[in-house]
Amino acid sequence: MLKFWKKKPAGETPAVAAEAPLVPLQAVVEVTPAVPPVEQAVPAPPPPVAESAFAVPATTAPRPKRNWRERFAGSILNRDVRTLFSRNPQLDDELLDQLETILLSADVGVAATGALIESLRKRMHLRQFADSAALLAALRGELVALLEPVSIPLRIDAQQRPFVILTVGVNGVGKTTTIGKLARRFQTQGLDVVLAAGDTFRAAAVEQLKSWGERNRVPVVAQGTGADSASVIFDALQSARSKSADVLIADTAGRLHTQSGLMDELAKVRRVLAKLDAAAPHEVLLVIDGTTGQNAVNQVRQFRAAIGVTGLVVTKLDGTAKGGVVFALAKEFGLPIRFIGLGETAEDLQEFAPAPFVDALLPTDVGALG
């Protein structure tokens, strides 16, 4: 045996190699079955289903939608009325004088405020109010009654195809954003929409509208900056007709109501559209910033004279907006208030409803203020 081991390295290495592989082979056969269980055990731990179940709601849970009262809780009118009535004041002329000051400071307007206070004063002298809570309830009723005649939703006339909506307004009121939200709204109603980038004066306006178009998958008819706005909108109407679209929404330059040259161009847009459709535009929406106060009244007056406004959209009414300008517009012009803007998302453009709007601005009773 000793000689055998001594000869192994020299000559009989192949024989040893022949015997040696047998042992490793048997070992490998024993090891390989042990490996699979280890590999099968590894995938078993990964199902952290519990983790994903907790992680998904945290990232995908939608934000709770705020109602109108929550959105207007920080408005100036809401705050000042709360302060006044939280003291449970006596029913007298001084209370009405303070209420009058609050309404005027909240942009309710001289005409609307005067009519409201005069009506409340007469009823108070007739002893129709038992306490300040009854006066507050009467104010709510008067405000709702003032807004009800202008609460007329925008309805698309299927006989007018495409139904042409021309949006106008001064710079910075959220006109282009409103167009994008309207497009989304009409889409959810099953309508085919085309957008016209008629604001050719502002460099980023065309790109902004195209962005809304891509987001909503809506075709946008556009030309370069500085192009003739009436020409762009005319081309868009032709395109909408060829596509058998239901609605065409046209953007226009955010012009100041004091710039008569630009206001004249709006009249030109109307004339050009009439060459294809004598009834177009079927709706002229004036977008108003709810924070601009009495200046909004001047804007409505000028735009209505220039192109004939048929409906209003009041934006930026969330946060600390006064909100009272809605009453001033209703009292002076009686134009339909189609929508109000309460935030940045498409869902925040909502049809105007008088009772929820007033309820959001005013507490329902004095006891609710405590």
Side-chain angles (χ1 to χ4, degrees):
M1 292 296 291
L2 293 173
K3 291 180 181 180
F4 172 77
W5 287 109
K6 287 179 182 178
K7 290 180 181 179
K8 179 181 81 170
E12 295 189 10
T13 308
V16 177
E19 287 180 30
L22 295 177
V23 179
L25 282 175
Q26 292 174 355
V28 169
V29 172
E30 292 176 0
V31 173
T32 38
V35 173
V38 176
E39 292 177 353
Q40 290 174 356
V42 172
V49 180
E51 275 185 33
S52 61
F54 287 106
V56 170
T59 55
T60 61
R63 293 180 181 178
K65 296 186 70 173
R66 296 186 302 165
N67 58 35
W68 287 20
R69 181 178 293 279
E70 292 170 333
R71 293 174 185 270
F72 284 106
S75 71
I76 295 174
L77 180 57
N78 185 294
R79 181 199 64 196
D80 291 349
V81 170
R82 282 175 172 272
T83 301
L84 176 61
F85 283 88
S86 62
R87 299 192 298 266
N88 195 20
Q90 288 186 334
L91 286 174
D92 53 24
D93 287 329
E94 182 180 355
L95 172 61
L96 290 178
D97 290 342
Q98 293 178 13
L99 182 58
E100 181 178 23
T101 301
I102 289 174
L103 294 176
L104 289 173
S105 64
D107 295 329
V108 174
V110 175
T113 298
L116 289 167
I117 295 299
E118 183 62 24
S119 175
L120 293 174
R121 196 182 303 275
K122 286 180 180 180
R123 296 174 65 179
M124 184 183 70
H125 290 163
L126 292 173
R127 300 184 182 278
Q128 294 184 6
F129 308 135
D131 51 26
S132 58
L135 173 64
L136 182 60
L139 174 62
R140 175 196 176 279
E142 298 270 359
L143 291 173
V144 172
L146 177 60
L147 296 179
E148 280 180 340
V150 300
S151 178
I152 306 174
L154 176 62
R155 295 292 179 257
I156 304 301
D157 186 358
Q159 301 300 318
Q160 305 288 349
R161 191 173 182 185
F163 187 88
V164 181
I165 302 174
L166 189 66
T167 58
V168 298
V170 301
N171 291 305
V173 297
K175 184 164 44 60
T176 305
T177 300
T178 297
I179 291 173
K181 294 178 180 180
L182 283 174
R184 178 69 174 275
R185 185 183 190 89
F186 293 142
Q187 276 187 317
T188 60
Q189 297 173 1
L191 301 175
D192 292 326
V193 183
V194 173
L195 303 181
D199 185 355
T200 58
F201 287 85
R202 188 163 60 93
V206 175
E207 293 304 318
Q208 184 181 0
L209 196 64
K210 284 182 177 179
S211 176
W212 274 104
E214 292 173 1
R215 194 181 312 174
N216 296 325
R217 296 181 181 178
V218 171
V220 178
V221 178
Q223 296 180 15
T225 304
D228 180 64
S229 178
S231 174
V232 174
I233 297 174
F234 181 85
D235 290 346
L237 179 54
Q238 288 183 316
S239 176
R241 277 187 162 186
S242 67
K243 292 179 172 64
S244 297
D246 299 300
V247 182
L248 168 64
I249 311 176
D251 195 6
T252 59
R255 60 209 69 223
L256 297 174
H257 58 282
T258 54
Q259 294 176 323
S260 58
L262 295 177
M263 297 295 281
D264 291 341
E265 186 176 330
L266 285 178
K268 177 184 175 182
V269 170
R270 178 184 283 278
R271 292 194 305 270
V272 168
L273 287 175
K275 294 180 180 180
L276 285 179
D277 185 345
H282 307 102
E283 176 80 6
V284 179
L285 278 180
L286 173 58
V287 183
I288 294 290
D289 183 341
T291 66
T292 56
Q294 288 301 297
N295 192 36
V297 175
N298 297 329
Q299 294 172 23
V300 174
R301 187 177 294 115
Q302 294 293 331
F303 276 101
R304 188 174 65 165
I307 196 171
V309 175
T310 58
L312 302 176
V313 179
V314 185
T315 63
K316 305 182 182 182
L317 283 177
D318 54 326
T320 58
K322 297 179 180 180
V325 68
V326 173
F327 303 101
L329 296 173
K331 178 68 174 177
E332 182 149 351
F333 301 105
L335 288 170
I337 300 177
R338 308 295 196 185
F339 301 96
I340 58 174
L342 299 173
E344 295 299 325
T345 68
E347 293 74 18
D348 290 326
L349 184 70
Q350 301 184 15
E351 284 190 349
F352 180 66
F357 180 77
V358 174
D359 286 341
L361 287 176
L362 301 177
T364 54
D365 54 63
V366 176
L369 296 171

